[in-house]
Coordinates of all heavy atoms in Angstrom, one line a residue:
M62 N 162.3 -111.7 79.5 CA 163.6 -111.6 80.0 C 164.4 -110.5 79.2 O 164.4 -110.6 78.0 CB 164.3 -112.9 80.0 CG 165.7 -112.8 80.6 SD 166.3 -114.4 81.1 CE 167.6 -114.6 79.9
I63 N 165.0 -109.6 79.9 CA 165.8 -108.6 79.2 C 167.3 -109.0 79.1 O 167.9 -109.5 80.1 CB 165.8 -107.3 80.0 CG1 164.3 -106.8 80.1 CG2 166.7 -106.2 79.4 CD1 164.1 -105.6 81.0
S64 N 167.8 -108.9 77.9 CA 169.2 -109.3 77.7 C 170.0 -108.0 77.4 O 169.7 -107.3 76.5 CB 169.3 -110.3 76.5 OG 170.6 -110.6 76.3
L65 N 171.0 -107.8 78.2 CA 171.9 -106.6 78.1 C 173.3 -107.1 77.5 O 173.8 -108.1 78.0 CB 172.1 -105.9 79.4 CG 170.9 -105.3 80.0 CD1 171.2 -104.7 81.4 CD2 170.3 -104.3 79.1
P66 N 173.8 -106.4 76.6 CA 175.2 -106.8 76.1 C 176.3 -106.5 77.1 O 176.4 -105.4 77.7 CB 175.4 -105.9 74.9 CG 174.5 -104.7 75.1 CD 173.4 -105.2 76.0
I67 N 177.0 -107.6 77.5 CA 178.1 -107.4 78.4 C 179.3 -107.9 77.6 O 179.5 -109.0 77.2 CB 178.0 -108.3 79.7 CG1 176.7 -107.9 80.4 CG2 179.2 -108.3 80.5 CD1 176.4 -108.8 81.6
R68 N 180.2 -106.9 77.4 CA 181.5 -107.2 76.6 C 182.5 -107.7 77.6 O 182.8 -107.0 78.6 CB 181.9 -106.0 75.9 CG 181.0 -105.6 74.8 CD 181.5 -104.3 74.1 NE 181.5 -103.2 74.9 CZ 180.5 -102.3 75.1 NH1 179.4 -102.5 74.4 NH2 180.6 -101.3 75.9
G69 N 183.1 -108.8 77.4 CA 184.1 -109.3 78.3 C 183.5 -110.3 79.3 O 182.3 -110.6 79.3
V70 N 184.3 -110.9 80.1 CA 183.9 -111.9 81.0 C 183.5 -111.2 82.3 O 184.3 -110.5 82.9 CB 185.1 -112.9 81.3 CG1 184.7 -113.9 82.3 CG2 185.5 -113.6 80.0
A71 N 182.3 -111.5 82.7 CA 181.8 -110.9 84.0 C 182.4 -111.5 85.2 O 182.7 -112.7 85.2 CB 180.2 -111.0 84.0
Q72 N 182.7 -110.7 86.2 CA 183.3 -111.2 87.4 C 182.7 -110.4 88.5 O 182.3 -109.2 88.4 CB 184.8 -111.1 87.4 CG 185.4 -109.6 87.2 CD 186.9 -109.6 87.1 OE1 187.5 -110.5 87.4 NE2 187.4 -108.5 86.6
S73 N 182.8 -110.9 89.7 CA 182.2 -110.2 90.9 C 183.2 -109.0 91.2 O 184.3 -109.0 90.9 CB 182.1 -111.1 92.1 OG 183.4 -111.5 92.6
L74 N 182.6 -108.1 91.9 CA 183.5 -106.9 92.4 C 184.6 -107.4 93.3 O 185.7 -106.9 93.2 CB 182.6 -105.9 93.1 CG 181.7 -105.0 92.2 CD1 181.1 -103.9 93.0 CD2 182.5 -104.4 91.0
R75 N 184.3 -108.4 94.1 CA 185.3 -109.0 95.0 C 186.5 -109.5 94.2 O 187.7 -109.3 94.5 CB 184.8 -110.0 95.9 CG 185.7 -110.5 97.0 CD 185.1 -111.2 98.1 NE 184.1 -110.5 98.8 CZ 184.3 -109.6 99.7 NH1 185.5 -109.2 100.0 NH2 183.3 -109.0 100.4
D76 N 186.2 -110.2 93.1 CA 187.3 -110.8 92.3 C 188.0 -109.7 91.5 O 189.2 -109.7 91.3 CB 186.7 -111.8 91.2 CG 186.2 -113.0 91.9 OD1 186.6 -113.3 93.0 OD2 185.4 -113.7 91.3
A77 N 187.3 -108.6 91.1 CA 187.9 -107.5 90.4 C 188.9 -106.7 91.3 O 189.8 -106.1 90.8 CB 186.8 -106.6 89.9
C78 N 188.7 -106.8 92.6 CA 189.6 -106.1 93.6 C 191.0 -106.6 93.4 O 192.0 -105.8 93.8 CB 189.2 -106.4 95.0 SG 187.6 -105.6 95.4
N79 N 191.3 -107.8 92.9 CA 192.6 -108.3 92.8 C 193.1 -108.4 91.4 O 194.0 -109.2 91.0 CB 192.6 -109.7 93.4 CG 192.3 -109.7 94.9 OD1 192.9 -108.9 95.6 ND2 191.4 -110.5 95.3
S80 N 192.5 -107.6 90.5 CA 192.8 -107.6 89.1 C 194.2 -107.2 88.8 O 194.8 -106.4 89.5 CB 191.9 -106.6 88.3 OG 192.3 -106.5 87.0
D81 N 194.8 -107.8 87.8 CA 196.2 -107.5 87.4 C 196.3 -106.0 86.9 O 197.3 -105.5 86.8 CB 196.7 -108.4 86.3 CG 196.9 -109.8 86.9 OD1 197.1 -109.9 88.1 OD2 196.8 -110.8 86.1
L82 N 195.1 -105.4 86.5 CA 195.1 -104.1 86.0 C 195.4 -103.0 87.1 O 195.9 -102.0 86.8 CB 193.7 -103.8 85.4 CG 193.3 -104.6 84.1 CD1 191.9 -104.3 83.8 CD2 194.3 -104.3 83.0
L83 N 195.2 -103.4 88.3 CA 195.4 -102.5 89.5 C 196.8 -102.6 89.9 O 197.4 -103.7 89.9 CB 194.5 -102.9 90.6 CG 193.0 -102.7 90.3 CD1 192.1 -103.4 91.4 CD2 192.6 -101.3 90.1
S84 N 197.4 -101.5 90.3 CA 198.8 -101.6 90.8 C 198.9 -102.3 92.1 O 200.0 -102.9 92.4 CB 199.4 -100.1 91.0 OG 198.6 -99.4 91.9
K85 N 197.8 -102.3 92.9 CA 197.8 -103.1 94.1 C 196.3 -103.5 94.4 O 195.4 -102.7 93.9 CB 198.4 -102.4 95.3 CG 197.7 -101.1 95.7 CD 198.5 -100.4 96.8 CE 197.7 -99.1 97.2 NZ 198.4 -98.5 98.3
P86 N 196.0 -104.5 95.1 CA 194.6 -104.9 95.4 C 193.9 -103.8 96.1 O 194.5 -103.0 96.9 CB 194.7 -106.1 96.3 CG 196.1 -106.7 96.0 CD 197.0 -105.5 95.7
V87 N 192.6 -103.6 95.9 CA 191.8 -102.6 96.6 C 190.7 -103.3 97.3 O 190.4 -104.5 97.0 CB 191.2 -101.6 95.6 CG1 192.3 -100.8 94.9 CG2 190.3 -102.2 94.6
N88 N 190.1 -102.7 98.3 CA 189.0 -103.2 99.1 C 187.8 -103.2 98.3 O 187.6 -102.3 97.4 CB 188.9 -102.4 100.4 CG 188.0 -103.1 101.4 OD1 186.8 -103.3 101.2 ND2 188.6 -103.6 102.5
V89 N 186.9 -104.1 98.5 CA 185.6 -104.1 97.8 C 184.8 -102.9 98.0 O 184.1 -102.4 97.1 CB 184.8 -105.4 98.1 CG1 184.2 -105.3 99.5 CG2 183.7 -105.6 97.1
S90 N 184.9 -102.2 99.1 CA 184.2 -101.0 99.4 C 184.7 -99.9 98.4 O 184.0 -99.0 98.0 CB 184.4 -100.5 100.8 OG 185.8 -100.2 101.1
T91 N 186.0 -99.9 98.0 CA 186.5 -99.0 97.0 C 185.9 -99.2 95.7 O 185.5 -98.2 95.0 CB 188.1 -99.2 96.9 OG1 188.7 -99.0 98.2 CG2 188.6 -98.2 95.9
M92 N 185.7 -100.4 95.3 CA 184.9 -100.7 94.0 C 183.5 -100.2 94.1 O 183.1 -99.6 93.1 CB 184.9 -102.2 93.8 CG 186.2 -102.8 93.4 SD 186.6 -102.4 91.7 CE 188.0 -103.4 91.5
H93 N 182.8 -100.3 95.2 CA 181.5 -99.8 95.3 C 181.5 -98.3 95.3 O 180.6 -97.7 94.7 CB 180.8 -100.3 96.6 CG 180.4 -101.7 96.5 ND1 179.3 -102.1 95.8 CD2 180.9 -102.8 97.1 CE1 179.1 -103.4 95.9 NE2 180.1 -103.9 96.7
R94 N 182.5 -97.6 95.9 CA 182.6 -96.2 95.9 C 182.8 -95.7 94.4 O 182.2 -94.7 94.0 CB 183.7 -95.7 96.8 CG 183.8 -94.2 96.9 CD 184.8 -93.7 98.0 NE 186.1 -94.2 97.8 CZ 186.7 -95.2 98.6 NH1 186.0 -95.7 99.6 NH2 187.9 -95.6 98.3
W95 N 183.7 -96.4 93.7 CA 183.9 -96.1 92.3 C 182.7 -96.2 91.5 O 182.4 -95.4 90.6 CB 185.0 -96.9 91.7 CG 186.4 -96.6 92.2 CD1 186.8 -95.6 93.0 CD2 187.6 -97.4 92.1 NE1 188.1 -95.6 93.3 CE2 188.6 -96.8 92.7 CE3 187.9 -98.6 91.4 CZ2 189.9 -97.3 92.7 CZ3 189.1 -99.1 91.4 CH2 190.2 -98.4 92.1
R96 N 181.8 -97.2 91.7 CA 180.6 -97.4 90.9 C 179.5 -96.4 91.3 O 178.8 -95.9 90.5 CB 180.1 -98.8 91.0 CG 179.3 -99.1 92.2 CD 178.7 -100.5 92.2 NE 178.0 -100.8 93.4 CZ 176.8 -100.5 93.7 NH1 176.0 -99.9 92.8 NH2 176.2 -100.8 94.8
L97 N 179.5 -96.0 92.6 CA 178.4 -95.1 93.1 C 178.8 -93.6 92.9 O 178.0 -92.8 92.3 CB 178.1 -95.4 94.5 CG 177.4 -96.7 94.8 CD1 177.4 -97.0 96.3 CD2 176.1 -96.8 94.2
K98 N 179.9 -93.2 93.4 CA 180.4 -91.8 93.4 C 181.3 -91.5 92.2 O 181.4 -90.4 91.8 CB 181.0 -91.4 94.7 CG 180.1 -91.5 95.9 CD 180.8 -91.1 97.1 CE 179.9 -91.1 98.3 NZ 180.5 -90.7 99.6
G99 N 182.1 -92.5 91.8 CA 183.0 -92.3 90.7 C 184.3 -91.7 91.3 O 184.5 -91.5 92.5
L100 N 185.2 -91.5 90.4 CA 186.5 -90.9 90.7 C 186.9 -90.0 89.6 O 186.9 -90.3 88.4 CB 187.6 -92.0 90.8 CG 189.0 -91.6 91.1 CD1 189.1 -91.0 92.5 CD2 190.0 -92.8 91.0
R101 N 187.1 -88.7 89.9 CA 187.4 -87.7 89.0 C 186.4 -87.6 87.9 O 186.7 -87.4 86.7 CB 188.8 -87.9 88.4 CG 189.9 -87.9 89.4 CD 191.3 -88.0 88.8 NE 192.3 -88.1 89.8 CZ 193.0 -89.2 90.1 NH1 192.8 -90.3 89.4 NH2 193.9 -89.2 91.0
G102 N 185.1 -87.7 88.3 CA 184.0 -87.6 87.3 C 183.7 -88.8 86.5 O 182.9 -88.8 85.6
V103 N 184.4 -89.9 86.8 CA 184.2 -91.2 86.0 C 183.7 -92.3 86.9 O 184.2 -92.4 88.0 CB 185.5 -91.6 85.3 CG1 185.3 -92.9 84.5 CG2 186.1 -90.5 84.5
K104 N 182.6 -93.0 86.5 CA 182.1 -94.1 87.4 C 182.4 -95.4 86.7 O 182.5 -95.6 85.5 CB 180.6 -94.0 87.5 CG 180.1 -92.8 88.3 CD 178.6 -92.8 88.5 CE 178.2 -91.7 89.4 NZ 176.7 -91.7 89.6
L105 N 182.7 -96.4 87.6 CA 183.0 -97.7 87.2 C 181.7 -98.4 86.7 O 180.6 -98.4 87.5 CB 183.6 -98.6 88.3 CG 183.8 -100.0 88.1 CD1 184.8 -100.2 86.9 CD2 184.3 -100.7 89.3
E106 N 181.7 -98.9 85.5 CA 180.5 -99.6 85.0 C 180.3 -101.0 85.6 O 181.2 -101.8 85.6 CB 180.6 -99.7 83.5 CG 179.4 -100.1 82.8 CD 179.6 -100.1 81.2 OE1 180.7 -99.8 80.8 OE2 178.6 -100.4 80.6
T107 N 179.1 -101.2 86.2 CA 178.9 -102.5 86.8 C 177.5 -103.0 86.4 O 176.7 -102.3 85.8 CB 178.9 -102.4 88.3 OG1 177.8 -101.5 88.8 CG2 180.2 -101.9 88.8
W108 N 177.2 -104.3 86.7 CA 175.9 -104.9 86.4 C 175.5 -105.7 87.6 O 176.3 -106.2 88.4 CB 176.0 -105.8 85.2 CG 176.4 -105.1 83.9 CD1 175.6 -104.5 83.0 CD2 177.8 -105.0 83.4 NE1 176.3 -104.0 82.0 CE2 177.7 -104.2 82.2 CE3 179.0 -105.3 83.9 CZ2 178.8 -103.9 81.5 CZ3 180.1 -105.0 83.1 CH2 180.0 -104.3 82.0
L109 N 174.2 -105.8 87.7 CA 173.6 -106.7 88.7 C 173.2 -108.0 88.0 O 172.3 -108.0 87.2 CB 172.4 -106.0 89.4 CG 171.9 -106.7 90.7 CD1 173.0 -106.7 91.7 CD2 170.7 -105.9 91.2
I110 N 174.0 -109.0 88.3 CA 173.7 -110.3 87.7 C 173.4 -111.4 88.7 O 174.2 -111.6 89.6 CB 175.0 -110.8 86.9 CG1 175.4 -109.7 85.9 CG2 174.8 -112.1 86.2 CD1 176.8 -109.9 85.3
A111 N 172.2 -111.9 88.6 CA 171.7 -112.9 89.5 C 171.8 -112.5 91.0 O 172.3 -113.2 91.9 CB 172.4 -114.2 89.3
G112 N 171.6 -111.2 91.3 CA 171.6 -110.7 92.6 C 173.0 -110.3 93.1 O 173.2 -109.9 94.2
R113 N 174.0 -110.4 92.2 CA 175.4 -110.1 92.6 C 175.9 -109.0 91.7 O 175.7 -109.0 90.5 CB 176.3 -111.3 92.5 CG 175.8 -112.5 93.3 CD 176.8 -113.5 93.5 NE 177.6 -113.0 94.6 CZ 178.7 -113.7 95.0 NH1 179.1 -114.8 94.4 NH2 179.3 -113.2 96.1
R114 N 176.6 -108.0 92.3 CA 177.2 -106.9 91.6 C 178.4 -107.4 90.9 O 179.3 -108.0 91.5 CB 177.4 -105.8 92.5 CG 177.9 -104.5 91.9 CD 176.9 -103.8 91.0 NE 175.7 -103.5 91.6 CZ 174.7 -102.9 91.0 NH1 174.8 -102.5 89.7 NH2 173.6 -102.6 91.6
G115 N 178.6 -107.1 89.6 CA 179.7 -107.5 88.8 C 180.2 -106.4 87.9 O 179.6 -105.4 87.6
T116 N 181.4 -106.7 87.3 CA 182.0 -105.8 86.3 C 182.8 -106.7 85.4 O 182.8 -107.9 85.5 CB 182.8 -104.7 86.9 OG1 183.2 -103.7 85.9 CG2 184.1 -105.2 87.6
T117 N 183.5 -106.1 84.4 CA 184.4 -106.9 83.6 C 185.8 -106.2 83.6 O 185.9 -105.1 84.0 CB 183.9 -106.9 82.1 OG1 183.8 -105.5 81.6 CG2 182.5 -107.5 82.0
E118 N 186.7 -107.0 83.1 CA 188.1 -106.4 82.9 C 188.1 -105.2 82.0 O 188.8 -104.2 82.2 CB 189.1 -107.5 82.4 CG 189.4 -108.6 83.4 CD 190.4 -108.1 84.4 OE1 191.3 -107.3 84.1 OE2 190.3 -108.6 85.6
E119 N 187.3 -105.3 80.9 CA 187.2 -104.2 80.0 C 186.6 -103.0 80.6 O 187.1 -101.9 80.4 CB 186.3 -104.6 78.8 CG 186.2 -103.5 77.7 CD 185.3 -104.0 76.6 OE1 185.2 -105.2 76.3 OE2 184.7 -103.1 75.9
A120 N 185.6 -103.1 81.5 CA 185.0 -102.0 82.2 C 186.0 -101.4 83.1 O 186.1 -100.1 83.2 CB 183.7 -102.4 82.9
L121 N 186.7 -102.2 83.8 CA 187.7 -101.8 84.8 C 188.9 -101.0 84.0 O 189.3 -100.0 84.5 CB 188.3 -102.9 85.6 CG 189.3 -102.6 86.7 CD1 188.7 -101.6 87.7 CD2 189.7 -103.8 87.4
R122 N 189.3 -101.6 82.9 CA 190.4 -101.0 82.1 C 189.9 -99.6 81.6 O 190.6 -98.6 81.7 CB 190.7 -101.9 80.9 CG 191.8 -101.3 80.0 CD 192.2 -102.2 78.9 NE 192.9 -103.4 79.4 CZ 192.4 -104.6 79.4 NH1 191.2 -104.8 78.9 NH2 193.1 -105.6 79.8
H123 N 188.7 -99.5 81.1 CA 188.1 -98.2 80.7 C 188.1 -97.2 81.8 O 188.5 -96.1 81.6 CB 186.7 -98.5 80.1 CG 186.1 -97.3 79.6 ND1 185.1 -96.6 80.3 CD2 186.2 -96.6 78.4 CE1 184.7 -95.5 79.6 NE2 185.4 -95.5 78.4
F124 N 187.7 -97.6 83.0 CA 187.6 -96.8 84.1 C 189.0 -96.2 84.5 O 189.2 -95.0 84.7 CB 187.0 -97.5 85.3 CG 187.0 -96.8 86.6 CD1 186.1 -95.8 86.9 CD2 188.0 -97.0 87.6 CE1 186.1 -95.1 88.1 CE2 188.0 -96.3 88.8 CZ 187.1 -95.4 89.0
L125 N 190.0 -97.1 84.6 CA 191.3 -96.7 84.9 C 191.9 -95.8 83.9 O 192.6 -94.9 84.3 CB 192.2 -98.0 85.1 CG 191.8 -98.9 86.3 CD1 192.5 -100.2 86.3 CD2 191.9 -98.1 87.6
E126 N 191.7 -96.1 82.6 CA 192.2 -95.2 81.6 C 191.6 -93.8 81.7 O 192.3 -92.8 81.5 CB 192.0 -95.8 80.2 CG 192.9 -97.0 79.9 CD 192.5 -97.7 78.6 OE1 191.4 -97.3 78.0 OE2 193.2 -98.7 78.2
K127 N 190.3 -93.8 81.9 CA 189.6 -92.5 81.9 C 190.0 -91.7 83.2 O 190.2 -90.5 83.1 CB 188.1 -92.7 82.0 CG 187.5 -93.1 80.7 CD 187.5 -92.0 79.7 CE 186.8 -92.4 78.4 NZ 186.8 -91.3 77.4
T128 N 190.2 -92.3 84.3 CA 190.6 -91.6 85.5 C 192.0 -91.1 85.4 O 192.4 -90.1 86.0 CB 190.4 -92.4 86.8 OG1 191.1 -93.7 86.7 CG2 188.9 -92.7 87.0
A129 N 192.9 -91.9 84.8 CA 194.3 -91.5 84.6 C 194.3 -90.3 83.7 O 195.1 -89.3 84.0 CB 195.1 -92.6 84.1
G130 N 193.6 -90.2 82.7 CA 193.5 -89.1 81.8 C 192.9 -87.9 82.4 O 193.3 -86.7 82.2
A131 N 191.9 -88.1 83.3 CA 191.2 -87.0 83.9 C 192.2 -86.3 84.9 O 192.1 -85.1 85.1 CB 190.0 -87.4 84.7
N132 N 193.1 -87.0 85.5 CA 194.1 -86.5 86.4 C 195.0 -85.5 85.7 O 195.4 -84.5 86.3 CB 194.9 -87.6 87.1 CG 195.7 -87.1 88.2 OD1 195.3 -86.1 88.9 ND2 196.8 -87.7 88.5
D133 N 195.4 -85.8 84.5 CA 196.3 -85.0 83.7 C 195.7 -83.6 83.3 O 196.3 -82.6 83.3 CB 196.8 -85.7 82.5 CG 197.6 -86.9 82.8 OD1 198.1 -87.0 83.9 OD2 197.7 -87.8 81.9
A134 N 194.4 -83.6 83.1 CA 193.7 -82.5 82.6 C 193.3 -81.5 83.6 O 193.1 -80.3 83.3 CB 192.5 -82.9 81.8
R135 N 193.2 -81.9 84.9 CA 192.7 -81.0 85.9 C 193.8 -80.7 86.9 O 194.4 -81.5 87.4 CB 191.5 -81.7 86.6 CG 190.8 -80.8 87.6 CD 189.6 -81.4 88.2 NE 189.5 -82.8 88.2 CZ 188.5 -83.4 88.9 NH1 187.6 -82.7 89.5 NH2 188.4 -84.7 88.9
P136 N 194.0 -79.4 87.2 CA 195.0 -79.0 88.2 C 194.5 -79.4 89.6 O 193.3 -79.6 89.9 CB 195.0 -77.5 88.1 CG 193.7 -77.1 87.6 CD 193.3 -78.2 86.7
S137 N 195.5 -79.6 90.5 CA 195.2 -80.1 91.8 C 194.5 -78.9 92.6 O 194.6 -77.7 92.3 CB 196.4 -80.5 92.6 OG 197.2 -79.3 92.8
R138 N 193.7 -79.3 93.6 CA 193.0 -78.3 94.4 C 194.0 -77.3 95.1 O 193.8 -76.1 95.1 CB 192.2 -79.0 95.5 CG 191.5 -78.1 96.4 CD 190.6 -78.8 97.4 NE 190.1 -77.9 98.4 CZ 189.6 -78.3 99.5 NH1 189.4 -79.6 99.7 NH2 189.1 -77.4 100.3
R139 N 195.2 -77.9 95.5 CA 196.2 -77.1 96.2 C 196.8 -76.0 95.3 O 196.9 -74.9 95.6 CB 197.3 -78.0 96.7 CG 198.4 -77.2 97.4 CD 199.3 -78.1 98.2 NE 198.5 -78.5 99.4 CZ 199.0 -79.2 100.3 NH1 200.3 -79.6 100.3 NH2 198.3 -79.5 101.4
S140 N 197.0 -76.4 94.0 CA 197.6 -75.4 93.1 C 196.6 -74.3 92.7 O 196.9 -73.2 92.5 CB 198.1 -76.1 91.8 OG 197.0 -76.7 91.1
V141 N 195.3 -74.7 92.6 CA 194.3 -73.7 92.4 C 194.2 -72.7 93.5 O 194.1 -71.5 93.4 CB 192.9 -74.4 92.1 CG1 191.8 -73.4 92.1 CG2 193.0 -75.2 90.8
E142 N 194.2 -73.3 94.8 CA 194.1 -72.4 96.0 C 195.3 -71.5 96.0 O 195.2 -70.3 96.4 CB 194.0 -73.2 97.2 CG 192.6 -73.9 97.4 CD 192.6 -74.9 98.5 OE1 193.6 -75.1 99.2 OE2 191.5 -75.3 98.8
F143 N 196.5 -72.0 95.7 CA 197.7 -71.2 95.8 C 197.7 -70.1 94.8 O 198.0 -69.0 95.1 CB 198.9 -72.1 95.5 CG 200.2 -71.3 95.5 CD1 200.8 -71.0 96.7 CD2 200.8 -71.0 94.3 CE1 202.0 -70.2 96.7 CE2 202.0 -70.3 94.3 CZ 202.6 -69.9 95.5
G144 N 197.2 -70.4 93.6 CA 197.1 -69.4 92.5 C 196.1 -68.3 92.9 O 196.3 -67.1 92.7
A145 N 195.0 -68.7 93.5 CA 194.0 -67.7 94.0 C 194.5 -66.8 95.1 O 194.3 -65.6 95.1 CB 192.7 -68.4 94.4
N146 N 195.3 -67.5 96.0 CA 195.9 -66.7 97.1 C 196.9 -65.7 96.6 O 196.9 -64.6 97.0 CB 196.6 -67.7 98.0 CG 197.0 -67.1 99.3 OD1 196.5 -66.0 99.7 ND2 197.9 -67.7 100.1
E147 N 197.8 -66.1 95.6 CA 198.7 -65.2 95.1 C 198.1 -64.1 94.3 O 198.5 -62.9 94.4 CB 199.7 -66.0 94.1 CG 200.6 -66.9 94.9 CD 201.5 -66.2 95.9 OE1 202.1 -65.2 95.6 OE2 201.5 -66.7 97.1
A148 N 197.0 -64.4 93.6 CA 196.3 -63.3 92.8 C 195.7 -62.3 93.8 O 195.7 -61.1 93.6 CB 195.2 -63.9 92.0
A149 N 195.1 -62.8 94.9 CA 194.6 -61.9 95.9 C 195.6 -61.0 96.6 O 195.4 -59.8 96.8 CB 193.8 -62.7 97.0
K150 N 196.8 -61.6 96.9 CA 197.9 -60.8 97.4 C 198.4 -59.7 96.4 O 198.6 -58.6 96.8 CB 199.1 -61.7 97.7 CG 198.9 -62.6 99.0 CD 200.2 -63.4 99.2 CE 200.0 -64.3 100.4 NZ 201.2 -65.2 100.5
A151 N 198.4 -60.1 95.2 CA 198.8 -59.1 94.2 C 197.8 -57.9 94.1 O 198.2 -56.8 94.0 CB 199.0 -59.8 92.8
E152 N 196.6 -58.3 94.1 CA 195.5 -57.3 94.1 C 195.6 -56.3 95.3 O 195.5 -55.1 95.2 CB 194.1 -57.9 94.0 CG 193.0 -57.0 93.9 CD 192.9 -56.3 92.5 OE1 193.5 -56.8 91.5 OE2 192.4 -55.2 92.4
L153 N 195.8 -56.9 96.5 CA 196.0 -56.1 97.7 C 197.2 -55.2 97.6 O 197.1 -54.0 98.0 CB 196.1 -57.0 98.9 CG 194.8 -57.7 99.3 CD1 195.0 -58.7 100.4 CD2 193.7 -56.6 99.8
R154 N 198.3 -55.7 97.1 CA 199.5 -54.8 96.9 C 199.2 -53.7 95.9 O 199.6 -52.6 96.2 CB 200.7 -55.7 96.4 CG 201.4 -56.5 97.4 CD 202.7 -57.0 96.9 NE 202.6 -57.9 95.8 CZ 202.4 -59.2 95.9 NH1 202.3 -59.8 97.1 NH2 202.2 -60.0 94.8
K155 N 198.5 -54.0 94.9 CA 198.1 -52.9 93.9 C 197.3 -51.8 94.6 O 197.4 -50.7 94.3 CB 197.4 -53.6 92.7 CG 197.3 -52.7 91.5 CD 196.8 -53.3 90.3 CE 195.8 -54.3 90.4 NZ 195.2 -54.8 89.1
L156 N 196.4 -52.2 95.5 CA 195.6 -51.3 96.2 C 196.3 -50.6 97.4 O 195.8 -49.7 98.0 CB 194.3 -52.0 96.7 CG 193.4 -52.5 95.7 CD1 192.3 -53.3 96.3 CD2 192.8 -51.4 94.9
G157 N 197.5 -51.0 97.7 CA 198.3 -50.4 98.8 C 197.9 -51.0 100.1 O 198.2 -50.4 101.1
V158 N 197.3 -52.1 100.1 CA 196.9 -52.8 101.4 C 197.8 -54.0 101.6 O 198.1 -54.7 100.7 CB 195.4 -53.2 101.3 CG1 195.0 -53.9 102.6 CG2 194.5 -52.1 101.0
G159 N 198.1 -54.2 102.9 CA 198.9 -55.3 103.2 C 200.1 -55.0 104.1 O 200.3 -53.8 104.5
H160 N 200.7 -56.0 104.5 CA 201.8 -55.9 105.5 C 203.1 -55.4 104.8 O 203.5 -56.0 103.8 CB 202.1 -57.2 106.2 CG 203.2 -57.1 107.1 ND1 203.1 -56.5 108.4 CD2 204.5 -57.6 107.1 CE1 204.3 -56.6 109.0 NE2 205.1 -57.3 108.2
Q161 N 203.6 -54.3 105.3 CA 204.9 -53.8 104.7 C 205.8 -53.7 105.9 O 205.5 -53.2 106.9 CB 204.7 -52.5 104.0 CG 203.8 -52.6 102.8 CD 203.6 -51.2 102.1 OE1 204.2 -50.3 102.6 NE2 202.9 -51.2 101.0
A162 N 207.0 -54.1 105.7 CA 208.0 -54.0 106.8 C 208.4 -52.6 107.1 O 208.6 -51.8 106.2 CB 209.3 -54.8 106.4
Q163 N 208.3 -52.3 108.4 CA 208.7 -50.9 108.9 C 210.1 -50.9 109.2 O 210.6 -51.8 109.9 CB 207.8 -50.6 110.1 CG 206.3 -50.6 109.8 CD 205.9 -49.5 108.8 OE1 206.5 -48.4 108.9 NE2 204.9 -49.8 108.0
P164 N 210.9 -49.8 108.9 CA 212.3 -49.8 109.2 C 212.4 -49.6 110.8 O 211.6 -48.9 111.4 CB 212.8 -48.5 108.5 CG 211.6 -47.8 108.1 CD 210.4 -48.7 108.1
R165 N 213.4 -50.3 111.3 CA 213.6 -50.2 112.8 C 214.5 -49.0 113.1 O 215.4 -48.7 112.4 CB 214.3 -51.5 113.2 CG 213.4 -52.7 113.1 CD 214.0 -53.8 113.8 NE 213.0 -54.9 113.9 CZ 213.0 -55.8 114.8 NH1 213.9 -55.8 115.8 NH2 212.1 -56.7 114.8
S166 N 214.2 -48.4 114.2 CA 215.0 -47.3 114.6 C 215.9 -47.6 115.7 O 215.9 -48.5 116.4 CB 214.1 -46.1 115.1 OG 212.8 -46.3 115.2

C-alpha cells in the first residue's frame, strides 16, 4: 500500500465548494475545472481517496493565494490588445498611412 502525505483534513470536492475560504459557494464542476485546467496557470491540488476526489483547506488556501497573486502580475487581455492597437496606429501614422480628416469646402 502506498501512503502519501496529506497535510490538513481531507474533504470531498463537494464539501470544499462551501468552504469559508471562498467569497461565495462554487459549483463542484468549478472545482473539477480548477484541478484539471487550473486558473491563471495554477491547478488545485487534489487526491483520489477511496474512489472519491478530495482536497484540503490548506490546498484550497494555497490555490486561492496563488491565483490572487497571479492576477496582479499579469495584465488583462483587453489592456494588452489595446496597447497593441495603439502601437499599430502610431506606426501607421509614422508611415503616413491612415485616416486623416479632409477639410470641407
